Amino acid sequence: FRFKDSLAEDLRSADLVISHAGAGSCLETLEEGKPLIVVTNEKLMDNHQLELAKQLHRDGHVLCCSCSTLVETLESMDLSTLKPFPPGQPEKFALFLDEVVGFR
């Protein structure tokens, strides 16, 4: 499909997600508890997607590859090595803001 309002249903029914390294795509997939292979675009300048993908990989949450190594990654992957992504804690940010602004 070219455009879809939401991928939530697709994510819920997926056994494995292969995605670019956009923050929204990565976090939505990880929060759904699905195994994720992140395919980086090495041609982007100031590649923040590559930084995110590498950090999530170092932390053990995703497998990371390039377009040229995707098939190899699929053939050799061991999804049991992936660690669950911890749930968000938005209240910590709210407390931080309260402190910065002087409400606490």
Side-chain angles (χ1 to χ4, degrees), residues 27-89:
L27 294 177
E28 201 173 342
T29 302
L30 292 171
E31 287 171 352
E32 193 62 43
K34 299 298 179 169
L36 174 61
I37 297 177
V38 176
V39 181
T40 59
N41 182 347
E42 297 164 333
K43 295 180 182 177
L44 292 177
M45 292 182 60
D46 299 322
N47 198 344
H48 63 280
Q49 287 191 10
L50 181 59
E51 292 173 28
L52 175 62
K54 284 184 174 183
Q55 187 62 53
L56 289 172
H57 179 71
R58 276 192 297 268
D59 293 344
H61 301 300
V62 304
L63 298 176
C64 186
C65 66
S66 64
C67 288
S68 61
T69 61
L70 177 58
V71 171
E72 178 184 331
T73 300
L74 288 167
E75 291 173 343
S76 65
M77 69 183 180
D78 180 359
L79 299 178
S80 70
T81 64
L82 296 178
K83 298 176 185 174
F85 192 72
Q89 298 177 331

Side-chain angles (χ1 to χ4, degrees), residues 86-104:
Q89 298 177 331
E91 64 280 355
K92 284 188 174 183
F93 182 68
L95 290 172
F96 169 76
L97 274 182
D98 285 349
E99 268 186 43
V100 169
V101 179
F103 293 144
R104 286 188 60 112

